[in-house]
């Protein structure tokens, strides 16, 4: 890891991590064994819908990061919250098994080296691979057979991992072909991304770009772009195929070139005028962590410094302007996330994936966990 933090960044980031730990501790005490997804006016507990159940790994994932930084008090809740997810290694309802298991069992395995944990990760990879459609060569999204989401690039890593662990060439083939299809149909020539692609189920022909959570089919939903930046970087880490590195870099360059100077993007780069002022801090947190990953794996020192500098700039803004530190009633860590604007879910709220990738990015930036 390239550590280019200045001393002042360092203390800002450490304070933010301490704050995050206090917030998660308060949540665990207030609502034990509860896995919230987004806040409602700053409160985690509410009856608003989930749309899909993809987030339960992020809260224990934060605990694992804090445990790996040396605070042993997080070990017991991290294990307990992770263990309760174990049955979901067989979950065929979601395309999010990477989110669920890399943040939990993946971190647990990395921290303890316990090989028994790998079986759960491998099974989760095998289950996700069952979503693969030969016609079209993609892992179908949770919404329908003909649908591919950019988000799945964050999950395909668990199939790469299962392939590496087992030597199963069929799994590797699925992970590679899904990633190449996503690159071909959802990443545009300028490095921007579409959220969703639709295929003809009979022929496998790619039909068109569309969206669920973005502004339009031809817009660039910023969280989707951040998922691509991070996901293709992770795919490069697994496969060492230079096409994935180039795609991750193109997405990173598009993000940096189109963001305001503070590094925190609008919820969609092509948002209509009435919502252009609405930011998504979760996209910024994912991008910051993905940029630090790129700085680590890319190999080009000049580019690496640029990615790391941009990541620190984003993190600095998040720490200074979006931390809920000045609002004791607010239960989340980071304000200004957006889940699903069209459904009115989690708009300008704390969102659990934003909390997780913010903490991960801080941990990566400090690099001394
Ligand atoms: N569906 C994943 C996301 O909201 O980014």
């Amino acid at each position: 890891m390239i550590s280019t933090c200045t001393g002042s960044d360092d203390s800002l980031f450490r304070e933010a991590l301490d704050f995050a730990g206090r917030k998660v501790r308060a949540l665990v005490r207030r609502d034990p064994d509860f896995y919230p997804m987004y806040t409602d006016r700053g409160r985690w507990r509410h009856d608003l819908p989930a749309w899909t159940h993809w987030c339960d790994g992020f809260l224990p994932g934060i605990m694992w990061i804090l445990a790996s930084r040396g605070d042993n008090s997080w070990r017991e809740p991290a294990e307990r919250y992770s263990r309760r997810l174990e049955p979901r290694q067989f979950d065929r309802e979601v395309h999010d098994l990477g989110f669920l298991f890399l943040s939990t069992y993946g971190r647990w395995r990395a921290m303890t080296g316990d090989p028994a944990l790998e079986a759960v990760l491998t099974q989760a990879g095998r289950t996700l691979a069952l979503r693969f459609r030969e016609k079209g060569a993609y892992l179908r999204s949770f919404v329908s057979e003909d649908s591919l989401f950019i988000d799945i690039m964050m999950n395909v890593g668990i199939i790469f991992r299962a392939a590496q662990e087992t030597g199963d060439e069929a799994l590797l083939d699925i992970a590679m072909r899904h990633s190449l299809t996503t690159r071909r149909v959802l990443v545009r020539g300028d490095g921007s991304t579409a959220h969703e692609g639709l295929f003809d189920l009979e022929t496998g022909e790619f039909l068109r770009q569309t969206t669920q959570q973005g502004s339009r089919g031809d817009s660039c939903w910023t969280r989707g772009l951040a998922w691509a930046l991070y996901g293709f970087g992770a795919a490069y880490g697994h496969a060492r195929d230079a096409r994935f590195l180039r795609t991750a870099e193109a997405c990173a360059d598009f993000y940096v070139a189109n963001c305001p100077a503070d590094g925190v993007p609008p919820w969609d780069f092509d948002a209509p005028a009435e919502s252009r002022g609405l930011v998504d801090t979760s996209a910024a947190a994912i991008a910051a962590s993905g940029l630090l990953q790129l700085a680590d794996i890319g190999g080009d020192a000049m580019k690496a410094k640029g990615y790391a500098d941009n990541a620190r700039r984003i993190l600095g803004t998040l720490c200074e302007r979006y931390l809920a530190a000045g609002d004791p009633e607010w239960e989340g860590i980071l304000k200004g996330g957006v889940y699903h604007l069209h459904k009115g879910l989690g708009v300008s709220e704390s969102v659990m994936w934003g909390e997780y990738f913010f903490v991960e990015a801080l941990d990566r930036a400090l690099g001394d966990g």
Side-chain angles (χ1 to χ4, degrees):
M1 158 91 41
I2 297 186
S3 186
T4 41
C5 274
T6 64
S8 60
D9 283 345
D10 237 55
S11 49
L12 190 65
F13 297 167
R14 275 185 216 289
E15 278 167 29
L17 263 183
D18 288 346
F19 176 71
R22 290 197 298 278
K23 284 299 201 187
V24 173
R25 187 92 66 196
L27 168 59
V28 169
R29 285 202 181 121
R30 193 172 49 241
D31 282 310
D33 298 327
F34 173 55
Y35 297 73
M37 180 186 273
Y38 59 89
T39 60
D40 178 30
R41 286 160 291 171
R43 301 294 164 100
W44 286 118
R45 196 173 265 291
H46 53 76
D47 294 325
L48 294 170
W51 187 40
T52 170
H53 292 275
W54 61 287
C55 284
D56 295 352
F58 296 131
L59 178 59
I62 296 174
M63 299 176 195
W64 282 115
I65 295 170
L66 297 173
S68 74
R69 296 190 64 79
D71 184 345
N72 243 339
S73 67
W74 288 107
R75 265 303 289 278
E76 186 280 322
E79 283 193 31
R80 181 159 45 89
Y81 275 69
S82 299
R83 191 68 82 188
R84 292 180 70 213
L85 302 182
E86 198 167 307
R88 295 195 64 189
Q89 65 189 297
F90 302 105
D91 187 344
R92 297 196 55 186
E93 299 299 313
V94 298
H95 57 239
D96 303 296
L97 296 180
F99 281 137
L100 287 166
F101 285 98
L102 295 173
S103 54
T104 52
Y105 278 71
R107 291 190 175 278
W108 189 356
R109 168 84 163 105
M111 200 170 151
T112 62
D114 179 354
L117 300 167
E118 200 64 50
V120 175
L121 290 153
T122 296
Q123 179 56 53
R126 288 197 185 284
T127 304
L128 182 61
L130 296 172
R131 305 187 81 80
F132 191 70
R133 289 192 56 89
E134 270 302 325
K135 285 184 180 168
Y138 60 96
L139 297 159
R140 55 160 294 224
S141 83
F142 82 98
V143 297
S144 58
E145 292 282 323
D146 60 348
S147 157
L148 161 69
F149 275 18
I150 194 75
D151 324 22
I152 301 173
M153 280 310 299
M154 291 295 287
N155 294 286
V156 71
I158 200 155
I159 304 182
F160 275 117
R161 182 182 179 125
Q164 279 152 1
E165 191 59 28
T166 60
D168 185 335
E169 289 289 331
L171 286 176
L172 180 61
D173 186 58
I174 285 173
M176 285 297 295
R177 287 165 69 206
H178 171 83
S179 303
L180 290 170
T181 301
T182 306
R183 177 177 181 268
R184 179 171 64 82
V185 304
L186 296 186
V187 184
R188 307 185 183 112
D190 61 359
S192 71
T193 50
H195 180 198
E196 186 183 20
L198 296 180
F199 291 80
D200 182 314
L201 288 176
E202 289 300 312
T203 64
E205 178 190 354
F206 177 67
L207 298 176
R208 64 188 166 90
Q209 297 180 346
T210 181
T211 192
Q212 296 282 331
Q213 286 155 281
S215 173
R216 300 187 313 240
D218 67 343
S219 76
C220 184
W221 175 52
T222 48
R223 191 158 68 256
L225 179 71
W227 290 143
L229 183 176
Y230 192 129
F232 279 103
Y236 174 69
H238 285 291
R240 291 285 150 185
D241 184 317
R243 291 172 291 185
F244 299 151
L245 179 60
R246 285 201 299 274
T247 301
E249 289 179 344
C251 295
D253 293 346
F254 188 90
Y255 182 94
V256 170
N258 287 278
C259 249
D262 67 5
V264 178
W267 70 282
D268 188 301
F269 280 126
D270 305 291
E274 61 269 21
S275 64
R276 202 159 293 152
L278 181 67
V279 297
D280 180 9
T281 55
S282 76
I286 298 156
S289 195
L291 287 166
L292 288 167
Q293 173 182 246
L294 264 183
D296 212 16
I297 61 177
D300 177 322
M302 282 282 287
K303 283 186 187 172
K305 177 160 173 14
Y307 294 140
D309 287 348
N310 274 299
R312 285 202 319 281
R313 182 165 53 89
I314 297 168
L315 284 176
T317 305
L318 293 178
C319 291
E320 281 169 352
R321 290 203 220 138
Y322 292 98
L323 222 52
D327 185 349
E329 299 300 311
W330 193 277
E331 293 174 357
I333 300 164
L334 205 56
K335 291 185 169 183
V338 177
Y339 180 25
H340 200 314
L341 183 61
H342 309 306
K343 291 186 186 293
L345 305 178
V347 179
S348 288
E349 296 289 344
S350 293
V351 293
M352 196 49 84
W353 62 92
E355 316 279 68
Y356 173 78
F357 285 101
F358 178 55
V359 168
E360 182 185 79
L362 292 169
D363 178 50
R364 280 186 154 143
L366 288 166
D368 57 1

